[in-house]
Amino acid sequence: MKFNEKQATANLENLERIFTVPEDPSSTLGLIDNEISQNLVGFLTENIVACQQEIEDIETDFSDPVIPQDPKFVSAQTRFLLDKLVSKSVHTSSPSFVGHMTSALPTFMLPLSRIMIALNQNMVKVETSKAFTPMERQTIGMIHHLIYGREDEFYTRWMHDHHNCIGSFCSGGTIANITALWAARNHFLAPDGDFAGIGQDGLVAALQHYGYKGIAVLASERAHYSLAKSADILGIGRANIVTVETDRKQRVKTAELARRAKELKARGIMPFSVIGIAGTSETGSVDPLNELAEIAGDIGAMFHVDAAWGGPTLFSDKYRDILSGIEHADSVTIDAHKQLYVPMGAGMVVFKEPNLASSIEHHAEYVVRKGSKDIGSFSLEGSRSGMAMLVHSSLNIIGHKGYGILIDQGIEKARRFAELIKAQPDFALVSEPELNILTYRLVPEDLQQTLLDASEHEANQINEILNKLTKHIQKIQRARGKSFVSRTQLKPIEQHRYPVVVFRVVLANPLSTDEVLADILEEQRAIFAESSSQAIIAELDNIEPLTDVG
Amino acid sequence: MKFNEKQATANLENLERIFTVPEDPSSTLGLIDNEISQNLVGFLTENIVACQQEIEDIETDFSDPVIPQDPKFVSAQTRFLLDKLVSKSVHTSSPSFVGHMTSALPTFMLPLSRIMIALNQNMVKVETSKAFTPMERQTIGMIHHLIYGREDEFYTRWMHDHHNCIGSFCSGGTIANITALWAARNHFLAPDGDFAGIGQDGLVAALQHYGYKGIAVLASERAHYSLAKSADILGIGRANIVTVETDRKQRVKTAELARRAKELKARGIMPFSVIGIAGTSETGSVDPLNELAEIAGDIGAMFHVDAAWGGPTLFSDKYRDILSGIEHADSVTIDAHKQLYVPMGAGMVVFKEPNLASSIEHHAEYVVRKGSKDIGSFSLEGSRSGMAMLVHSSLNIIGHKGYGILIDQGIEKARRFAELIKAQPDFALVSEPELNILTYRLVPEDLQQTLLDASEHEANQINEILNKLTKHIQKIQRARGKSFVSRTQLKPIEQHRYPVVVFRVVLANPLSTDEVLADILEEQRAIFAESSSQAIIAELDNIEPLTDVG
């Protein structure tokens, strides 16, 4: 504490000290630092409390917009963070928090991250990253090889070629998807004769030059919302993302997609990109990638696969076939902060062919000069951290086999959990896990048969009440802080037209055991038995049969 | 080492261990971790060697694209990183590395970063960030207040309003600039009657609806290259970034900009955004922001200020007036990983009015639901880390006054260095430091007068040789690894038409002393005396006077 005093406040005249004098191990921050390295799980369990506080109440601790005039003790700020921020954050690595895509981290990630942060490299140019540049290129190459498995010569020729790149590292899947669509758009509307390309002359001139009325993207209606964002940013417009409906397994209907493509072309609107999803956010479904690749080829569009979630399934000898066809994609998105188990902020897009990235190449005079090895010429972001070091390390430390085991465990755990749900009289599985994500809901036993026998009109009313119930149980469970499943709304399934709200479970955390999952069902059942839930289900009594007024 | 063995390889059947068993303090990684926390400066100095290796040689250590099948010891990977990556990285925090915008980090950043990474929050939604959401909103609010200093009621009303946002946190200045231009473009081509807005219907429909031939952006020719990238991504086209020339002080000529705006409008091309730069990357110059704000107002364009570098100048009571007019900007970019001294990967854009961000609002069903407090609705990125915690902490720990002192020191150090350069007979200052960046070159004493007296034709030839010399000295100095200045090429200055290559020095590192700077000149002078430099300067003998062939 004394040390921190000296460090921060006492020395307005000698501020350099905060850049040179290390944190005292006996200071508040030093002690926490040590505790985290010695007992990460314990630190998180003890310091993140099940916070019942509403977000509006938490806001009161973060309400002053004025930057304090005077320096503050490091220890005082640390104390504030512990009390007001850490304790009220989310225990994303908890084994019973299975509602999001953020898992536990391998413990070696913490000291490795410290090295990465201490080095503070900037990947934009070799000048501030040196060996980090080839390291990042190799990391991209390793993911490229996992997906495409090209021959040795390909990587020898292209992996470090500074006029090209076979992928781009970025902060996450959204940037990766935008980058992929940006490259596809620019490749489709490339320079041609007098026309300098869309990047130079813009979309209007591009359409004029090529004689198109518009351009469009074809994807499943289950595509990630970053796709709509991409279409907005790229000037295409969300309306020109043509979303195609899915089958019972939440996979895009390919015949319908091909039909829509034809229809668009007949109207002079060119579908320049077909998107396949390898692991939808909501149900983990995988589109028929081989068929999509064929359609894309037929209509002359680029084929992009969003494998932000499902990509690492390729590590599994048992299950990699689920992603069959991904090797035909022109570009693939993978998030490293999901199933590669690195900290938040690591995504990648890889390009099948090295020339695709050239359509998004940018240069400047003082940085990313033409002909330099600067990797910043091919990325949407400018300055970037050396996060690739963490991916490089985990690929080496966990290895192909290790990741394969983690993937197998997740998929098999999801299957067991699905069986468990089906065995319950008062729960109903809504989507079978294709990978390690499933959805379900609580449907009281006596209602299950009623729902099957009901007319569409009645079923819709029942579902409306069940949706309310699911939302209610999910919120209560989240607020109590013992466990967490997320919820989402699925489009109509089977014969019922009504959208269904479901519990969503993501099983990537190796620490989530079958027992933890069974407990989650028990807790939901207990919440259902409480009066607030019963009040919702009592609304069933008011359901009115359809009276034909014809 | 033994421990790491157990952890990684021996346990393919029990992989969960890597998520629970902490790194042994006596393992290689544990020891490094401890060394970095106890002696960061020492660690960096000892472990980053002055690496003479060419990048092509370094690549050989990163040439295998195949992910290893079997797990690797943590200690083996750590050893590899130390030998092949850390030792060949760039000592970005070295006091004598004054060529880039990456400075030393306050030592408290390391343990704080560890907390941030251990918590592994995902800012995209409250579900995975809880208290981090109001904390990030406050951090944005603090920067907003620094720039705009709005009344208390403004922040009470808007800072935590979940239907709006007064800024967006992101990975860096490029994303911030793209976000600002995206918002401006969508605001300019907003929904109107039957037209659903550019975000929904795309650029072509938008121009049709409003009856414009095109849209354009006006900026200085010194604008950051991310601006060209933005124009490409947003579908506007780089050709529609109208760059205006600068005066002797590298500041945009406002009258010329106003003239170009009028000319564009007369052709049916609407300038929807005027950009001002507060600290150009090359010379740290600041555009006349008040005049630009007025022009933007007159022509009905949004006014964006790229203060990625210069923004924190606002902390200085002495120098904040250099940025006068920034408070009129509709949006401002600031990089926290530059002069706020947080690790790489932290940028921000703030919006003067809370409604601007609504033009880029996005929602989805399972995440960032409408009406939620999810901050992901307003960001270009999706999943994001809790980096804002580091900005929040440094704003509190260093405080307004602390930052003010750091800014003053940098600017004054740059002025002293400029004087030192001017006092040398064999150096020439090329751009005076307006903030803490300056450029200069070595011009042998006997050449200084020659250059002044030379005809344009002769001067151009001399400058061509001097440019070669500057490049040569910069490369040699960089390779020797003792110190580093960057180089860039400036457009013609004064009467000479020839572009001038210069050394560029950025003085944000509080540890760079006047002595360090004097040594840099000495080293350059010594390199000039070497035969390889003398061979270049000898080319002066071949200069031919202009023979009129008229």
Side-chain angles (χ1 to χ4, degrees):
Chain A
M1 177 80 114
K2 232 180 182 179
F3 181 84
N4 287 322
E5 274 182 48
K6 262 192 269 165
Q7 190 170 335
T9 331
N11 281 302
L12 264 183
E13 308 77 40
N14 190 11
L15 260 178
E16 306 87 78
R17 284 179 58 84
I18 61 171
F19 294 88
T20 52
V21 181
E23 202 55 35
D24 191 318
S26 67
S27 71
T28 313
L29 188 53
L31 292 172
I32 292 171
D33 192 21
N34 191 50
E35 198 183 329
I36 293 181
S37 39
Q38 293 314 303
N39 184 9
L40 172 64
V41 176
F43 174 84
L44 296 174
T45 311
E46 274 162 42
N47 287 283
I48 303 177
V49 299
C51 171
Q52 308 272 356
Q53 242 181 332
E54 290 296 322
I55 196 98
E56 287 75 10
D57 294 326
I58 298 176
E59 284 166 1
T60 57
D61 291 318
F62 300 95
S63 58
D64 191 351
V66 184
I67 298 165
Q69 279 293 314
D70 292 306
K72 189 171 166 182
F73 294 159
V74 172
S75 57
Q77 171 71 7
T78 307
R79 180 60 47 205
F80 171 83
L81 292 177
L82 274 190
D83 292 347
K84 305 298 186 187
L85 186 71
V86 175
S87 70
K88 296 168 189 180
S89 65
V90 178
H91 193 343
T92 54
S93 63
S94 163
S96 58
F97 277 44
V98 292
H100 45 61
M101 292 179 154
T102 311
S103 158
L105 295 176
T107 53
F108 61 75
M109 276 300 161
L110 291 175
L112 282 179
S113 300
R114 205 215 237 356
I115 297 178
M116 190 262 288
I117 286 173
L119 292 175
N120 207 28
Q121 304 294 289
N122 183 350
M123 299 304 303
V124 72
K125 47 184 192 278
V126 170
E127 210 171 89
T128 48
S129 60
K130 201 142 187 187
F132 270 69
T133 294
M135 180 277 298
E136 184 174 289
R137 279 185 175 268
Q138 184 191 19
T139 306
I140 293 281
M142 288 161 107
I143 297 297
H144 191 285
H145 184 267
L146 175 71
I147 295 168
Y148 298 109
R150 301 284 290 263
E151 65 287 7
D152 286 357
E153 295 70 35
F154 177 87
Y155 298 99
T156 309
R157 173 68 189 84
W158 298 113
M159 199 161 71
H160 293 289
D161 184 278
H162 59 288
H163 296 296
N164 290 279
C165 80
I166 56 173
S168 184
F169 201 94
C170 59
S171 68
T174 294
I175 299 290
N177 280 338
I178 296 175
T179 305
L181 275 180
W182 178 27
R185 186 201 70 176
N186 285 15
H187 180 82
F188 193 76
L189 301 171
D192 171 50
D194 284 349
F195 173 62
I198 179 171
Q200 179 65 19
D201 289 349
L203 180 59
V204 177
L207 295 182
Q208 226 153 42
H209 174 83
Y210 281 102
Y212 303 147
K213 280 206 184 112
I215 52 173
V217 175
L218 288 156
S220 148
E221 60 186 1
R222 294 266 63 93
H224 190 255
Y225 73 103
S226 61
L227 184 56
K229 213 190 259 186
S230 307
D232 176 346
I233 292 173
L234 294 168
I236 302 163
R238 289 186 298 269
N240 293 308
I241 297 285
V242 178
T243 54
V244 179
E245 62 184 36
T246 49
D247 63 17
R248 279 183 50 189
K249 288 181 159 181
Q250 313 275 342
R251 299 148 48 114
V252 71
K253 290 181 173 169
T254 50
E256 175 64 10
L257 189 138
R259 195 187 62 72
R260 299 287 292 275
K262 212 177 266 178
E263 195 183 274
L264 286 166
K265 283 183 100 163
R267 286 164 44 212
I269 293 169
M270 306 306 285
F272 72 95
S273 171
V274 170
I275 314 263
I277 316 167
T280 61
S281 302
E282 278 147 315
T283 59
S285 315
V286 180
D287 283 332
L289 304 180
N290 279 306
E291 292 173 46
L292 290 178
E294 213 177 301
I295 296 171
D298 286 349
I299 64 174
M302 305 296 280
F303 179 37
H304 174 67
V305 172
D306 182 350
W309 179 255
T313 310
L314 294 169
F315 284 113
S316 162
D317 290 340
K318 268 195 207 167
Y319 301 112
R320 70 169 291 150
D321 283 353
I322 300 175
L323 266 53
S324 172
I326 196 171
E327 68 279 10
H328 301 308
D330 295 296
S331 55
V332 175
T333 288
I334 285 195
D335 255 342
H337 57 229
K338 294 194 170 98
Q339 297 203 78
L340 294 183
Y341 301 96
V342 309
M344 195 55 59
M348 279 170 278
V349 57
V350 290
F351 300 115
K352 187 178 187 183
E353 300 297 340
N355 64 336
L356 188 52
S358 65
S359 64
I360 57 167
E361 210 174 330
H362 278 257
H363 294 283
E365 194 49 57
Y366 74 106
V367 65
V368 297
R369 290 186 194 93
K370 210 154 182 150
S372 75
K373 290 235 163 190
D374 298 342
I375 211 164
S377 323
F378 298 103
S379 64
L380 197 160
E381 293 165 286
S383 298
R384 281 191 303 109
S385 74
M387 280 292 275
M389 177 191 132
L390 304 183
V391 184
H392 185 279
S393 294
S394 61
L395 290 176
N396 274 286
I397 294 172
I398 299 178
H400 194 114
K401 281 186 193 161
Y403 276 118
I405 290 170
L406 291 171
I407 288 292
D408 290 354
Q409 284 177 351
I411 292 178
E412 285 155 17
K413 202 185 297 168
R415 291 180 180 187
R416 288 195 305 274
F417 189 42
E419 291 312 310
L420 183 71
I421 291 166
K422 287 195 232 169
Q424 310 300 311
D426 49 355
F427 281 94
L429 188 70
V430 177
S431 66
E432 289 273 359
E434 190 172 5
L435 300 177
N436 47 8
I437 298 178
L438 59 79
T439 64
Y440 68 102
R441 59 179 180 164
L442 189 153
V443 183
E445 193 170 359
D446 53 351
L447 212 59
Q448 302 226 0
Q449 192 57 46
T450 313
L451 201 52
L452 283 178
D453 300 337
S455 69
E456 194 183 306
H457 175 75
E458 281 170 332
N460 285 351
Q461 290 180 80
I462 295 172
N463 275 323
E464 191 164 359
I465 292 165
L466 284 175
N467 286 354
K468 237 167 138 178
L469 179 71
T470 308
K471 277 187 203 176
H472 175 75
I473 294 175
Q474 192 265 350
K475 279 187 184 174
I476 300 272
Q477 191 170 32
R478 180 180 64 187
R480 296 199 176 150
K482 207 188 123 202
S483 51
F484 170 70
V485 302
S486 52
R487 68 168 202 273
T488 189
Q489 182 170 302
L490 295 182
K491 286 214 146 183
I493 46 159
E494 317 264 309
Q495 75 271 40
H496 305 301
R497 294 255 180 79
Y498 206 79
V500 173
V501 174
V502 291
F503 302 124
R504 166 174 165 273
V505 166
V506 182
L507 292 168
N509 188 336
L511 307 179
S512 305
T513 59
D514 291 352
E515 292 67 42
V516 164
L517 298 174
D519 285 350
I520 286 174
L521 295 186
E522 282 312 320
E523 194 186 6
Q524 293 177 327
R525 192 173 272 139
I527 295 169
F528 174 67
E530 292 173 15
S531 59
S532 59
S533 302
Q534 290 301 314
I536 294 171
I537 207 75
E539 293 176 27
L540 283 169
D541 299 338
N542 307 329
I543 284 185
E544 283 171 33
L546 185 66
T547 328
D548 241 334
V549 247
Chain B
M1 176 80 116
K2 230 179 180 180
F3 180 84
N4 287 323
E5 274 184 48
K6 262 192 267 160
Q7 191 171 334
T9 331
N11 281 301
L12 264 184
E13 307 77 40
N14 191 11
L15 261 179
E16 305 88 78
R17 284 178 57 85
I18 61 170
F19 294 88
T20 52
V21 182
E23 203 54 35
D24 191 319
S26 66
S27 71
T28 314
L29 187 53
L31 291 172
I32 293 171
D33 193 22
N34 191 50
E35 198 184 330
I36 294 181
S37 41
Q38 293 314 303
N39 183 10
L40 173 64
V41 176
F43 174 85
L44 296 174
T45 311
E46 275 161 44
N47 287 282
I48 304 177
V49 299
C51 171
Q52 307 271 358
Q53 243 183 331
E54 289 297 321
I55 196 98
E56 287 75 9
D57 295 325
I58 297 176
E59 284 166 1
T60 58
D61 291 318
F62 300 95
S63 58
D64 191 352
V66 184
I67 297 164
Q69 279 293 314
D70 292 307
K72 189 171 166 182
F73 294 158
V74 172
S75 56
Q77 172 69 9
T78 307
R79 181 57 50 203
F80 171 83
L81 293 177
L82 274 190
D83 293 348
K84 306 296 186 188
L85 187 70
V86 174
S87 69
K88 298 170 187 177
S89 65
V90 178
H91 193 343
T92 55
S93 62
S94 164
S96 58
F97 277 44
V98 291
H100 45 59
M101 294 179 153
T102 311
S103 158
L105 294 176
T107 53
F108 61 75
M109 275 300 162
L110 291 176
L112 282 179
S113 299
R114 202 209 226 20
I115 298 178
M116 191 262 288
I117 286 173
L119 291 174
N120 207 28
Q121 305 292 288
N122 184 348
M123 298 305 303
V124 71
K125 47 185 193 275
V126 170
E127 210 170 272
T128 47
S129 60
K130 202 143 186 186
F132 270 68
T133 295
M135 180 278 297
E136 184 173 289
R137 278 186 175 269
Q138 184 191 16
T139 306
I140 292 281
M142 288 160 107
I143 297 298
H144 191 285
H145 185 267
L146 175 70
I147 295 168
Y148 298 108
R150 301 285 290 262
E151 65 285 10
D152 287 355
E153 295 69 36
F154 177 88
Y155 298 99
T156 310
R157 172 68 190 87
W158 297 113
M159 199 161 73
H160 293 289
D161 184 279
H162 58 288
H163 296 297
N164 291 280
C165 79
I166 55 174
S168 184
F169 201 95
C170 59
S171 67
T174 294
I175 300 289
N177 280 339
I178 296 175
T179 304
L181 274 179
W182 178 27
R185 185 200 71 176
N186 284 16
H187 180 82
F188 193 75
L189 301 171
D192 172 49
D194 283 349
F195 173 61
I198 180 173
Q200 178 66 19
D201 289 348
L203 180 59
V204 177
L207 295 182
Q208 226 153 40
H209 174 82
Y210 282 102
Y212 302 147
K213 280 206 185 112
I215 53 174
V217 175
L218 287 157
S220 149
E221 60 185 2
R222 294 265 65 93
H224 190 254
Y225 73 102
S226 61
L227 184 56
K229 213 191 259 185
S230 306
D232 175 346
I233 292 173
L234 293 167
I236 301 163
R238 289 186 299 269
N240 294 308
I241 298 283
V242 178
T243 54
V244 178
E245 61 184 38
T246 49
D247 62 18
R248 279 184 49 191
K249 289 183 159 180
Q250 312 275 344
R251 300 149 47 114
V252 70
K253 290 183 174 169
T254 50
E256 174 65 9
L257 189 139
R259 195 188 63 73
R260 299 288 292 274
K262 211 178 265 180
E263 193 183 275
L264 285 167
K265 284 182 100 164
R267 286 165 45 212
I269 293 168
M270 307 305 285
F272 72 96
S273 172
V274 170
I275 314 263
I277 316 168
T280 60
S281 302
E282 277 146 316
T283 59
S285 317
V286 180
D287 283 332
L289 303 180
N290 279 306
E291 292 173 47
L292 289 177
E294 212 177 302
I295 296 171
D298 286 349
I299 63 174
M302 306 296 280
F303 179 38
H304 173 67
V305 172
D306 182 350
W309 179 255
T313 310
L314 293 169
F315 283 113
S316 162
D317 290 340
K318 269 195 212 169
Y319 301 112
R320 68 168 293 149
D321 284 353
I322 299 176
L323 265 54
S324 172
I326 195 172
E327 67 279 9
H328 301 308
D330 295 295
S331 55
V332 175
T333 289
I334 285 195
D335 256 342
H337 58 230
K338 294 194 169 98
Q339 297 204 77
L340 294 182
Y341 302 95
V342 308
M344 196 54 60
M348 278 169 280
V349 57
V350 289
F351 301 115
K352 186 178 188 183
E353 300 297 339
N355 65 337
L356 188 53
S358 65
S359 64
I360 56 166
E361 209 175 329
H362 277 257
H363 294 283
E365 194 49 57
Y366 74 105
V367 66
V368 296
R369 289 185 194 94
K370 210 156 181 146
S372 75
K373 290 237 162 189
D374 298 341
I375 213 164
S377 324
F378 298 102
S379 63
L380 198 161
E381 293 166 286
S383 298
R384 279 191 304 107
S385 75
M387 281 292 275
M389 178 190 130
L390 304 183
V391 184
H392 185 278
S393 294
S394 61
L395 289 176
N396 274 286
I397 294 173
I398 299 178
H400 194 114
K401 282 186 192 161
Y403 276 117
I405 291 169
L406 291 170
I407 288 291
D408 290 353
Q409 285 176 350
I411 292 178
E412 284 154 18
K413 203 184 297 167
R415 291 180 180 188
R416 288 195 305 275
F417 190 41
E419 290 312 311
L420 183 70
I421 291 166
K422 287 195 236 171
Q424 311 301 309
D426 49 354
F427 281 94
L429 188 71
V430 177
S431 66
E432 289 273 359
E434 190 171 6
L435 300 178
N436 47 9
I437 299 177
L438 59 79
T439 63
Y440 67 101
R441 59 178 180 165
L442 190 151
V443 183
E445 193 170 358
D446 53 350
L447 212 59
Q448 301 225 2
Q449 192 57 44
T450 313
L451 202 52
L452 284 176
D453 300 337
S455 70
E456 194 184 306
H457 175 74
E458 280 171 332
N460 286 351
Q461 290 180 80
I462 296 173
N463 276 321
E464 190 164 0
I465 292 165
L466 285 175
N467 286 353
K468 236 168 141 177
L469 178 70
T470 308
K471 277 188 204 175
H472 175 74
I473 295 176
Q474 192 265 349
K475 279 187 185 174
I476 300 273
Q477 190 169 31
R478 180 180 64 187
R480 295 200 177 151
K482 206 189 125 203
S483 52
F484 170 70
V485 302
S486 52
R487 69 168 200 272
T488 188
Q489 183 169 302
L490 295 181
K491 287 213 147 185
I493 44 159
E494 316 266 309
Q495 76 271 43
H496 305 304
R497 294 255 180 78
Y498 206 79
V500 173
V501 174
V502 292
F503 302 124
R504 166 175 166 270
V505 166
V506 182
L507 292 168
N509 189 336
L511 308 178
S512 306
T513 59
D514 290 352
E515 291 67 42
V516 164
L517 297 174
D519 285 351
I520 287 174
L521 296 186
E522 282 312 323
E523 194 186 7
Q524 292 177 329
R525 189 173 275 138
I527 295 170
F528 174 67
E530 294 172 14
S531 60
S532 59
S533 303
Q534 290 302 314
I536 294 172
I537 208 74
E539 294 176 25
L540 283 168
D541 299 339
N542 307 328
I543 284 186
E544 285 170 34
L546 185 65
T547 331
D548 244 334
V549 249

